[in-house]
Amino acid sequence: MQRGKISVRKLVEFILRKGSIDTRKVSNHTAQEGARIHRKLQKAAGENYQKEVFLKTEVDIEADQLIVEGRADGIFEADHWTIDEIKTSEIHYEDLEAGQIELFFYQGMVYAYIYSLQNELQQIDVQLTYYQTTEEKITRTIRTYDFEFLKSFFEELTQEYHKWLLFQEEWRRVRTTTLQTLAFPYEEYRKGQRELAVAAYKTLRNQQRLFVEAPTGTGKTISTLFPALKALGEERADRIFYLTAKTITRQVAEDALKALADVGAETKSVTLTAKDKICFLDERKCNPDDCIYANGYYDRINEGLWDLLHHENQFTREIIEKYAKKHQLCPFELSLDVSLFCDIVVGDYNYLFDPTVYLRRFFEEPAEKYYFLVDEAHNLVNRSREMYSATLTRSAFTGLIDSLSKEHRKIHRSLKKVDKEFLAIKQIAKEDNWTYHHQAPAAEELLNQLFKFSELAKEWLAAHPEDAAQEKMLAVYFDCLHFLKISEYYDDHYETTVEITPYDMSVRQFCIEPAPFLEKMLDKGASSLLFSASFSPLSYYQEVLGGGEEALRYRLASPFPVENQKILVTSYIQTTYKKRMESLPAIVEAIAAMVTSKTGNYLVFFPSYKYLDDVYDLFKELFPTIQTVIQDTKMNEEEREQFLAKFQANPTKSLVGFCVLGGIFSEGIDLKGTRLIGSAIVGVGLPQINNEQELIREYFDEHDRNGFEYAYQLPGMNKVLQAAGRVIRDLNDCGVVLLLDQRFTTGRYRQLFPPHWQAAQICRRPQELVHELTKFWQLKQDQM
């Protein structure tokens, strides 16, 4: 006998939802706001009203049993029994689609059936209580149902769901069986892989959190996915989320899943692609008027899901797009809907950590056990600060005022009140003579006006879909919603900043320390593995990424022969801001020494485009015959590919790529073998001094932690390690890394060197650098 359990709401929405995707008509109230309104309406309902009544029934379908349960918002117990279904939204009742109203009633009808069954009622009412939030208008609609009608309705509903239950249960049985006997997909483990896999498995099995530094080449993806699948096969968890910052890393995860499938792993996985990237339209407009894939989406989705689930296991972007076109479905929404049936979900960090876009279907109220595998987790430090911060500019609101017809008086007045708050802040700045300001308290008056505007904007967007200001209104509305959402998290980990320029002003809620919020999200999983090739010091990352005091730490040695990489530090080059112009000749000379010591491909990384341009100009002047390629400030995907394509294997002439440290070419690229044999890193990677970095420094100083390290040194050193990691990618690779800054010789930086850098050699003069480079390559030549 199969046993399944589903909530009333999920059952109704999954089987009976019809209609279209329309972002113009989606309520953006928080769960807390909805609960507050529910309590208000329930309190006013009177003495004969029971609120939040838990109802449950078990239904036998063929040889299986399904439990359907949920909480009815309210029940009137009088001469005539009534189920009360409460819904809240900014949209006026008369503007709701008929299908949406029916869906509300369907939920009430299931509660009515269960209650009638338990109390032997032959007839019962269902009341829809609809609360329109902007005008606080209540609309009540009542329908009367006979028990036999509700019984027939419920039986048809559960019969339709039964086939999905059977599919899920059978798939889980297949998955579990194959994972229990799963073998490692390669003939042998690389150095460090078995150790990492064992550590990962023990962590997952014991439901702990592990921070791992595993150097490039360890094979972190397969070494974490394999043990996670083994634990999944033991029914220790229900689902795995593989989270990363870059598309290329998601591709590595897909490759690992394919390798595991080739040796017998029967799993279903989906790769989530950003909505703007996967959208079939040139300009994304998620409404039935502008998008055929949004129009009638819910009428077709279950047929499309059934087809997809029965013919594919690995739902890559290409597969999702194929079935989305076949069934005329929004590809992004299809990927989200199929994720509910997947064992592994691969996607960006924001699907777990971002408070505005995280996957609520999984993480709002977790009913399952999840494993979180967070790849290249060092990127999460800055990403999470941005996720939990929000900015608004005055120009966005004044531009909307100018675009909006004055006949829309109510929304016009609201926009004027928002702008009045901006002007009040600007007046204070003028009186106190500042252009930048930060404070611990939130901008409460501005937030109050923004909330009122957001309510009216939602109503206006639904009522005026063809207005010329629709696009601008939508953009400002979403920015406003994000700002309000972040305000819900605002506490002593935040500062409010104001910046005034000659042309605009901005107000920002800046999250200085997101660790508590990250920890709260990690707690939604049964266990987490956070790993990176550059995770030093581990204690720092454990602290800033919400690891908690109980988290484990593990560092693996480099799997590559230490003698295959030469680390050289030039103590005679100083790259501090004041010394930069003086350093140009020495840097050019060092690059030339690296390039001429052996024909090959090289990368040089700089802390800024200005520094890069100055060195590049001098290098081309002194060495015009050496081939060069330079990173542009803005490069699209095609231009990036063209840049990397120049790095051919076994070149007959040397090539030097000039890049920015921390940019698109300093991590995440994979130039194996002779495609790259050396990198030079100019400077220690310190972020530029700015207001926000100074806020971070001051904050950690005030909390008895080294503010300079947290704001500047450790983020900078991570960029250095990432750039250096481009050189050695495989066991047989050989290469050199030049650290062109005297500061790398100091204890403050040497203590941050990974173990395989401990043999780094200091060169005190240019002649020593030339000598060491020549000697290294000669030794490699002799060994061949």
Side-chain angles (χ1 to χ4, degrees), residues 561-579:
V562 176
E563 61 272 15
N564 281 2
Q565 186 175 52
K566 189 71 173 178
I567 311 290
L568 297 170
V569 184
T570 58
S571 64
Y572 58 89
I573 293 178
Q574 296 187 48
T575 71
T576 55
Y577 190 76
K578 292 181 180 179
K579 298 283 186 179

Side-chain angles (χ1 to χ4, degrees), residues 278-498:
I278 203 171
C279 180
F280 291 144
L281 305 185
D282 293 333
E283 181 183 355
R284 177 167 62 86
K285 292 184 177 180
C286 303
N287 66 74
D289 298 329
D290 295 300
C291 179
I292 61 171
Y293 302 100
N295 187 18
Y297 175 87
Y298 297 109
D299 302 333
R300 302 182 298 273
I301 178 57
N302 283 6
E303 182 182 348
L305 279 176
W306 193 257
D307 186 15
L308 177 58
L309 288 166
H310 282 78
H311 292 94
E312 308 287 348
N313 282 352
Q314 200 170 354
F315 312 131
T316 61
R317 176 176 177 173
E318 292 73 25
I319 293 295
I320 290 291
E321 288 177 339
K322 174 185 172 182
Y323 282 82
K325 286 179 178 176
K326 178 181 178 181
H327 293 276
Q328 199 171 305
L329 296 167
C330 166
F332 180 72
E333 291 297 331
L334 173 59
S335 68
L336 292 182
D337 285 334
V338 81
S339 70
L340 291 167
F341 297 89
C342 288
D343 311 298
I344 306 107
V345 179
V346 180
D348 190 271
Y349 300 146
N350 59 11
Y351 292 117
L352 172 63
F353 297 109
D354 193 311
T356 57
V357 300
Y358 75 97
L359 298 175
R360 283 171 175 77
R361 63 189 69 203
F362 294 112
F363 307 130
E364 192 83 79
E365 296 176 1
E368 301 177 316
K369 286 187 176 180
Y370 304 133
Y371 287 153
F372 299 142
L373 311 185
V374 186
D375 195 1
E376 301 297 342
H378 65 276
N379 287 302
L380 192 54
V381 180
N382 287 333
R383 279 286 302 277
S384 59
R385 280 202 181 100
E386 283 304 309
M387 289 175 189
Y388 287 91
S389 299
T391 305
L392 288 177
T393 61
R394 183 192 173 208
S395 62
F397 289 89
T398 55
L400 181 56
I401 291 171
D402 294 340
S403 301
L404 196 64
S405 170
K406 287 187 170 54
E407 66 186 46
H408 303 294
R409 292 190 182 90
K410 190 185 293 185
I411 193 84
H412 228 281
R413 284 197 299 271
S414 182
L415 282 164
K416 287 283 190 181
K417 288 180 180 178
V418 172
D419 190 50
K420 186 178 178 181
E421 292 304 322
F422 276 105
L423 287 172
I425 296 170
K426 194 172 183 179
Q427 182 60 35
I428 294 171
K430 184 178 180 180
E431 292 171 1
D432 294 347
N433 194 31
W434 52 259
T435 57
Y436 175 80
H437 170 75
H438 66 90
Q439 63 182 43
E444 293 294 349
E445 289 303 315
L446 177 62
L447 287 167
N448 289 337
Q449 293 304 328
L450 289 171
F451 179 77
K452 293 174 183 176
F453 162 74
S454 70
E455 297 273 273
L456 293 170
K458 182 68 177 182
E459 183 182 339
W460 186 93
L461 285 163
H464 303 88
E466 303 301 325
D467 195 282
Q470 172 85 199
E471 190 174 336
K472 274 192 176 180
M473 178 70 78
L474 200 60
V476 174
Y477 171 66
F478 282 134
D479 286 345
C480 180
L481 284 183
H482 178 61
F483 199 85
L484 290 169
K485 180 66 180 178
I486 294 304
S487 72
E488 296 172 17
Y489 293 84
Y490 199 99
D491 60 11
D492 56 4
H493 300 94
Y494 279 83
E495 287 269 332
T496 294
T497 68
V498 180

Side-chain angles (χ1 to χ4, degrees), residues 244-257:
T244 183
K246 293 181 171 59
T247 303
I248 190 169
T249 325
R250 293 194 278 279
Q251 178 64 54
V252 173
E254 288 180 358
D255 293 343
L257 289 168

